[in-house]
Amino acid sequence: MTETLQRKDYLSGQEPRWCVGCGDYGVLKGFTAALAQLELPRENIVIVSGIGCSSRFPHYCSTYGFHGIHGRAPAIATGVKLARPELSVWVVTGDGDGLSIGGNHFLHLMRRNPNINVILLNNRIYGLTKGQISPTSPTGAKTKSTPFGSVDRPVNPIQLAIACGATFAARIPDTDNKMITEVLKAAHNHKGVSFVEVLQSCEIFNNQAWTKVNKKSERAEHTILLQHGEPLIWGNNRDKGFRFNGFDLEAVNLDDPSVDENDLVRHDAHASDPTLALKLAILDFGVSPYPLGIFRQVEEPVYEEAVWTLDRTIHSVQGASTIHDLLRAGETWTVESGSEKQAIP
Amino acid sequence: MGVSDDRKPISLEPSPASTSPSDHPTELDVTTIRFAGDSGDGMQLLGTRFANTSAIHGEDVITLAEYPSEIRAPAGTLAGVSGFQMSIGPQDVFTSGDVVDVLVAMNPAALKANDNLVREGGIIIANADSFIPKNLEKAGYDRNPLETDELAAYQLFPVEISRLTATALQEFDVPRAQVERSKNFFALGLISWLFNMPLDNSLTWIRQKFAGDEGVILANSQALDAGSKYGESNELFKTNYVIKKPEKSRQPGTYRYLSGNSAVALGLITASQLAGLHLFLGSYPITPASEILHELSRHKEFPITTFQAEDEIAAIGAALGASFAGSLATTTTSGPGMALKTEFIGLAVSAELPLVIVNVMRGGPSTGMPTKMEQADLYQALWSRPGEAPLVVLAAKSPKDCFHTAVEAARLALLYMTPVIMLSDGYIANGSEPWRIPEIDELPPIDVQHHSDASTFQPYARDPERLARPWAPPGSPGMEHRVGGLEKQDGSGQIDQDPENHQRMTYLRAEKIRRVAQEIPPLEIEGDESAELLIIGWGSSYGAIARAVMHQNKLGHPVAAVHLRHLNPFPSNLEEILKRFPRRVVVENNDGQLWTKIRAEYLLDAERLNKIKGTPFKIREIEDKIEAMLAGGA
Ligand code: SF4
């Protein structure tokens, strides 16, 4: 690539078909900005999606794209990555696509750890089918399919991803372009699978889902920004923090004279033990400050690299072959012309 | 014997002239041998070794492997019996045999489960040591059949295989468990002697297979030798046998012995090499297709990636992803797995990406009979997708034909940018036969290129002859494009829900598949072309049909046959052939699936012969149908 590409160069020019006010627009903007800042050649990017509002994503980008079938983007992406490890492969999915119909593939994508970046737009609702509960909808949610309130217990995407073995897990709001771009760049630079949950608002069917996070005026009070090595502090006045009380994260007020700032927990995204990341992941939305940023970022063997390294190693021992030799490997015998007697080699 | 093919009843009686068996063996035509024992007894190994020896010795061979769906069903029970049957003969062996001439039964259950397959006067060799009360009871015998006249219709040879093996190994200090394991090789030695086959090939194999374990090599080699010597020196057998010399000499060349599943794997590798492409297999273990995954996973001397996915859906999904990325992609499965892959196959049709889908059919519906053969997934292959989603369907007719069918499946997928379903089944997948290895220049060229000219690139522009769209994998600047399952605009590939465009695209996709017929050589008629009666078959019933027609023609009965590899589209001359024969019968191991399609496509009626028992057709069953139809009935 010779000339530097601008953010807009990563847009296909196709008019997005998302509703006005949909959180997906912000993600598309932050995502294309990340691609431009990373100076990734468009031809080396493949965006794979499933089905749902979020899965229209590939059509709006000027890269290679594969709009797959419901829940199966991880499978397609794994095939692309295994066949062509040098490509930058992104999966864009939603809470229904990725965690309900595609739940099984999600597990295996996380545990194998290919160098694939997964963006999950979590709006806690089915949008494209016009408003039914999703696996992240809160218990009690009243939707078209649950007119008297849902009895299902929701799944927590970050907790699930880490439990499945994700080596990179992050959460971002759909309204903070800068944060979207920074986290997606970090996801790209991470070697191994990167899981990024976007708290996305569905303007039409669930626009109050993440207000406390996505509304700038509420964010400081209701979220906690995770920064590796920094103490866990939040609040409008940055006056609250977490310290350990036994195995529990205990919220404390920094104004309390009995609280020592040095006792606060420092975030460690690089710890191989996932306990702290999981503790943070299970903090309840609406009850505790909701963590944003990178929960976990650890190095583990990368799937497609391991596959290709093993194949190449064995190849270098076995050597190359030809069809001629392949078909003649093992026991063979020849029939000479004009005789029915056989020579046994 | 039930004269089921064109051979005379074999006389297994001692020939009058013979005094010393090895000097004057009795000549035999096509002969069927069956090895039966506990599924843990290694019957498949024993059978495979003998089939291999026979093939290398120059016989024509077809094998049938039959094993229970449980890995180790309770030992000694009827449910746990595993069998390996083979026909050997000088030439034209097309099936694994209707009736058994020689049965080797390693325990009472194996005898009980198989003695009804043996023809009257046939040979039964039983491991007498295993006919102890406990085993007799498990098999449901009140009394030891070796000691009653229950088996009087056969030539019965009780042989103390276990004891004789132990005796032979006595001086070598072999552990007990190994003695037990070596008894197969004693049986192999004995049967090798009985058919006058040399032991050297088996000895070489033992040395290679157990290389590094001298104790095992010694035990097995000694047991093999002891079995052969036992036959030779014992008065028990009054003669031994030799397969007749073939009437016509075989096509010169290098031969090997090949199973259907191995043939698929070799065919796919060959196709990828012919096309100059990386080969990608996404698969999920399933009986009876897993051996293709195993085989392809071993060949790192070629650029092959095998991916054992988390499920059938991910297996094809990854394959389709690899296809998008520019590989020759394939997925292998059986009926239940096909059902799961359905949605992805539809996506492959819509995205117009090359993909080879191999279905090794087994008994259905649902889990059905996993280790038994059937041809009942033809409807599924042809039509089981949402929407109008035509694709190419091929079927292999024999183990070795799996190679050529796999190469053709890959070739058509690449040339037409389409998914191709290749049907095999449990019979030919596990069955084996000798195969003359083709030279490279006998194989069809596969001339495919990834699209390289960005200035002319449109993702859904079409090659005017084949209507294939260009294949532009990621990595090529200027050709960035999106594919998917949404209807797209002809040419540009942009999402398009316009009614006129949808109908046009539907017709284009259908026409593309119809044009595949231009690649198909004219269908050839076998047998009596002037006959009024035509047999129509597909897949693994080929051997039985071909033999039946050959034999009926020899008897002077006018009948002909066509065998279809191409099930969609049909060969262009099929209709014309069908019209030449006023009476037609479609023979298949299902309830009339090809029969339905032929009637629907040509408005030509046909009768049908269907067998849905999990086992292939016997030659006799087809001949009975022919004779009944020629006699004026059905
Ligand atoms: S339905 Fe909701 S998620 Fe879908 S595009 Fe509209 S606002 Fe966005």
Side-chain angles (χ1 to χ4, degrees):
Chain A
M1 204 175 58
T2 43
E3 91 274 34
T4 314
L5 294 176
Q6 304 303 310
R7 185 187 78 78
K8 289 215 162 90
D9 296 326
Y10 291 89
L11 293 170
S12 68
Q14 227 190 71
E15 194 63 37
R17 299 272 187 93
W18 292 313
C19 310
V20 174
C22 176
D24 291 358
Y25 285 100
V27 183
L28 181 61
K29 198 168 176 197
F31 173 66
T32 45
L35 297 182
Q37 290 174 28
L38 289 163
E39 298 185 24
L40 292 181
R42 287 175 296 200
E43 66 271 19
N44 290 346
I45 302 169
V46 181
I47 306 172
V48 186
S49 66
I51 296 294
C53 294
S54 55
S55 290
R56 292 288 182 115
F57 225 86
H59 293 288
Y60 307 140
C61 298
S62 59
T63 66
Y64 284 89
F66 202 143
H67 183 187
I69 50 178
H70 207 12
R72 319 298 175 200
I76 299 172
T78 302
V80 171
K81 193 71 185 171
L82 271 174
R84 301 278 302 281
E86 77 280 14
L87 297 171
S88 171
V89 181
W90 299 77
V91 166
V92 183
T93 181
D95 38 324
D97 188 64
L99 301 177
S100 193
I101 192 167
N104 188 35
H105 308 306
F106 183 85
L107 153 62
H108 296 281
L109 185 70
M110 294 301 139
R111 77 166 168 93
R112 288 194 188 104
N113 197 37
N115 195 4
I116 292 173
N117 312 305
V118 182
I119 306 174
L120 186 144
L121 304 176
N122 180 11
N123 55 18
R124 312 190 87 177
I125 194 81
Y126 279 70
L128 196 62
T129 51
K130 301 196 167 64
Q132 302 84 8
I133 49 160
S134 90
T136 56
S137 298
T139 305
K142 284 193 175 160
T143 70
K144 284 188 184 140
S145 59
T146 54
F148 308 110
S150 163
V151 298
D152 280 32
R153 296 165 65 215
V155 65
N156 176 325
I158 297 283
Q159 182 191 5
L160 178 67
I162 293 172
C164 293
T167 53
F168 180 105
R171 182 189 282 148
I172 50 180
D174 65 358
T175 45
D176 187 335
N177 281 329
K178 194 156 165 276
M179 188 167 172
I180 294 170
T181 302
E182 288 311 314
V183 168
L184 292 182
K185 277 160 62 184
H188 170 85
N189 291 330
H190 172 70
K191 278 182 169 293
V193 75
S194 304
F195 174 69
V196 180
E197 177 195 9
V198 183
L199 307 178
Q200 178 242 331
S201 79
C202 170
E203 186 58 25
I204 308 298
F205 298 108
N206 203 16
N207 66 358
Q208 298 303 311
W210 305 112
T211 315
K212 285 181 179 157
V213 173
N214 291 353
K215 217 169 159 191
K216 280 227 172 77
S217 57
E218 304 247 12
R219 191 176 301 157
E221 193 60 22
H222 293 106
T223 67
I224 178 165
L225 187 62
L226 304 176
Q227 282 171 308
H228 178 71
E230 298 296 320
L232 297 175
I233 295 177
W234 81 97
N236 281 333
N237 307 315
R238 294 190 57 76
D239 55 354
K240 297 184 214 34
F242 276 125
R243 69 180 179 192
F244 271 124
N245 181 358
F247 281 123
D248 297 328
L249 286 176
E250 182 188 28
V252 291
N253 198 320
L254 301 186
D255 298 336
D256 183 338
S258 72
V259 171
D260 180 349
E261 250 198 81
N262 292 323
D263 288 345
L264 294 182
V265 178
R266 283 180 184 275
H267 182 47
D268 183 359
H270 301 167
S272 63
D273 180 338
T275 308
L276 176 62
L278 283 166
K279 279 272 171 209
L280 292 164
I282 61 175
L283 289 174
D284 245 356
F285 179 70
V287 179
S288 304
Y290 213 44
L292 299 175
I294 299 167
F295 288 71
R296 181 166 172 77
Q297 183 171 13
V298 293
E299 294 269 327
E300 291 283 346
V302 175
Y303 182 61
E304 72 279 3
E305 282 177 9
V307 168
W308 279 81
T309 303
L310 181 64
D311 285 1
R312 285 210 178 97
T313 308
I314 296 170
H315 181 89
S316 68
V317 175
Q318 290 185 345
S321 186
T322 60
I323 305 175
H324 182 274
D325 291 349
L326 168 75
L327 301 183
R328 283 160 184 79
E331 291 172 295
T332 61
W333 63 97
T334 37
V335 173
E336 308 292 346
S337 82
S339 93
E340 76 277 5
K341 270 281 142 229
Q342 296 76 36
I344 300 169
Chain B
M1 67 182 292
V3 191
S4 55
D5 43 38
D6 60 336
R7 53 179 161 144
K8 295 199 187 71
I10 298 167
S11 168
L12 288 178
E13 301 306 317
S15 77
S18 83
T19 44
S20 160
S22 305
D23 295 345
H24 301 285
T26 309
E27 283 204 339
L28 297 178
D29 206 319
V30 180
T31 303
T32 297
I33 304 157
R34 188 174 178 92
F35 301 94
D38 242 351
S39 57
D41 270 349
M43 290 301 99
Q44 307 299 329
L45 175 84
L46 172 54
T48 306
R49 286 325 306 156
F50 189 62
N52 239 309
T53 298
S54 308
I56 292 177
H57 193 245
E59 315 306 346
D60 212 356
V61 187
I62 294 254
T63 70
L64 167 72
E66 283 186 329
Y67 46 95
S69 48
E70 298 84 7
I71 297 302
R72 291 275 165 109
T77 63
L78 292 172
V81 173
S82 156
F84 188 96
Q85 184 170 319
M86 51 187 280
S87 271
I88 57 177
Q91 70 235 331
D92 297 337
V93 176
F94 289 159
T95 77
S96 55
D98 281 13
V99 287
V100 173
D101 297 307
V102 178
L103 171 69
V104 178
M106 297 302 272
N107 68 8
L111 179 65
K112 181 119 190 177
N114 291 291
D115 65 353
N116 63 335
L117 302 174
V118 183
R119 69 170 178 79
E120 219 171 280
I123 289 176
I124 296 177
I125 298 171
N127 178 15
D129 293 325
S130 71
F131 283 68
I132 55 174
K134 185 180 68 166
N135 291 346
L136 291 165
E137 192 190 322
K138 276 194 215 160
Y141 282 116
D142 294 334
R143 291 195 298 154
N144 187 346
L146 305 184
E147 292 165 0
T148 66
D149 58 2
E150 185 173 325
L151 302 170
Y154 313 109
Q155 302 181 58
L156 177 66
F157 299 100
V159 180
E160 295 164 293
I161 294 177
S162 307
R163 190 185 62 78
L164 290 165
T165 307
T167 309
L169 300 180
Q170 218 161 28
E171 57 183 290
F172 300 108
D173 190 27
V174 174
R176 266 222 68 73
Q178 182 55 48
V179 174
E180 188 51 28
R181 280 198 292 271
S182 292
K183 69 177 197 286
N184 274 337
F185 289 92
F186 184 94
L188 180 60
L190 178 58
I191 206 86
S192 298
W193 169 81
L194 190 63
F195 285 91
N196 229 26
M197 301 275 183
L199 298 181
D200 44 358
N201 157 257
S202 295
L203 286 168
T204 310
W205 182 85
I206 289 171
R207 262 179 249 121
Q208 284 169 356
K209 172 77 183 177
F210 303 105
D213 200 337
E214 290 306 320
V216 176
I217 293 176
L218 179 76
N220 289 339
S221 306
Q222 289 296 331
L224 182 76
D225 193 51
S228 173
K229 289 225 173 76
Y230 174 81
E232 193 167 349
S233 59
N234 202 282
E235 291 297 302
L236 198 59
F237 298 93
K238 301 207 175 55
T239 181
N240 68 348
Y241 304 94
V242 67
I243 302 297
K244 275 206 302 212
K245 290 246 164 70
E247 285 156 26
K248 48 189 184 204
S249 54
R250 249 182 226 215
Q251 198 180 353
T254 305
Y255 283 74
R256 68 177 288 170
Y257 182 74
L258 187 68
S259 77
N261 274 347
S262 300
V264 171
L266 296 182
L268 291 169
I269 299 174
T270 299
S272 71
Q273 289 286 297
L274 291 171
L277 294 171
H278 168 251
L279 178 63
F280 184 95
L281 169 71
S283 191
Y284 184 78
I286 187 168
T287 303
S290 303
E291 291 81 12
I292 306 171
L293 166 64
H294 304 168
E295 180 76 29
L296 284 175
S297 301
R298 296 193 304 117
H299 289 285
K300 301 299 177 199
E301 69 274 31
F302 295 98
I304 301 172
T305 303
T306 52
F307 173 59
Q308 183 183 322
E310 58 268 28
D311 58 28
E312 293 280 0
I313 300 172
I316 185 173
L320 195 60
S323 170
F324 179 69
S327 300
L328 168 57
T330 176
T331 185
T332 51
T333 188
S334 187
M338 280 300 279
L340 287 165
K341 294 180 192 301
T342 296
E343 193 185 6
F344 256 120
I345 299 175
L347 177 61
V349 169
S350 178
E352 301 192 44
L353 283 167
L355 183 65
V356 177
I357 302 145
V358 181
N359 176 358
V360 185
M361 296 179 287
R362 63 189 220 185
S366 187
T367 310
M369 302 203 286
T371 59
K372 305 289 180 202
M373 65 82 67
E374 201 160 276
Q375 297 183 299
D377 292 346
L378 179 58
Y379 285 166
Q380 189 190 29
L382 290 168
W383 297 313
S384 181
R385 284 165 293 284
E388 298 289 348
L391 45 65
V392 179
V393 180
L394 308 179
K397 66 180 182 183
S398 70
K400 63 188 177 192
D401 192 49
C402 285
F403 175 86
H404 302 282
T405 308
V407 172
E408 185 172 1
R411 185 171 159 268
L412 295 177
L414 294 166
L415 292 182
Y416 285 80
M417 293 291 283
T418 178
V420 174
I421 293 177
M422 169 182 165
L423 299 173
S424 167
D425 67 47
Y427 174 33
I428 54 180
N430 292 312
S432 301
E433 63 181 329
W435 176 51
R436 190 187 62 79
I437 302 166
E439 298 300 330
I440 305 299
D441 57 15
E442 294 174 59
L443 298 169
I446 303 183
D447 190 14
V448 284
Q449 247 87 51
H450 293 145
H451 192 82
S452 57
D453 181 4
S455 70
T456 62
F457 180 69
Q458 270 209 306
Y460 279 79
R462 287 173 195 280
D463 144 26
E465 253 164 56
R466 295 186 170 127
L467 299 182
R469 73 175 191 87
W471 191 13
S476 319
M479 291 188 274
E480 295 86 356
H481 66 284
R482 276 64 60 191
V483 298
L486 283 167
E487 185 62 286
K488 61 268 312 153
Q489 198 175 50
D490 184 17
S492 77
Q494 301 282 354
I495 298 174
D496 192 328
Q497 307 284 303
D498 172 68
E500 296 304 322
N501 175 70
H502 178 50
Q503 185 145 351
R504 182 163 61 252
M505 287 297 279
T506 303
Y507 285 158
L508 277 169
R509 287 186 288 258
E511 176 59 18
K512 179 174 86 163
I513 299 304
R514 266 195 291 275
R515 289 197 187 181
V516 169
Q518 66 200 9
E519 313 291 328
I520 304 175
L523 190 61
E524 282 176 21
I525 300 171
E526 294 189 33
D528 182 354
E529 295 211 25
S530 63
E532 305 235 303
L533 174 60
L534 179 73
I535 298 189
I536 302 137
W538 66 279
S540 69
S541 55
Y542 173 72
I545 294 173
R547 277 298 279 215
V549 168
M550 222 183 258
H551 186 235
Q552 287 289 312
N553 285 171
K554 265 193 190 166
L555 296 176
H557 300 164
V559 60
V562 287
H563 207 79
L564 294 169
R565 172 190 281 180
H566 303 90
L567 298 161
N568 196 52
F570 282 142
S572 314
N573 64 336
L574 176 60
E575 181 173 16
E576 177 263 320
I577 291 176
L578 293 174
K579 285 183 170 157
R580 270 160 55 190
F581 295 82
R583 294 193 75 184
R584 315 166 190 103
V585 56
V586 182
V587 175
E588 43 188 340
N589 289 109
N590 59 42
D591 199 21
Q593 301 193 1
L594 176 63
W595 177 79
T596 305
K597 184 170 193 253
I598 283 183
R599 284 167 35 118
E601 200 135 324
Y602 301 121
L603 283 177
L604 291 172
D605 205 0
E607 294 183 38
R608 54 189 177 143
L609 176 62
N610 302 114
K611 180 176 184 181
I612 313 150
K613 297 182 176 179
T615 50
F617 278 103
K618 291 183 174 175
I619 301 163
R620 185 67 254 167
E621 291 165 340
I622 296 167
E623 290 196 61
D624 284 346
K625 179 73 179 173
I626 295 170
E627 285 171 1
M629 287 183 73
L630 290 178

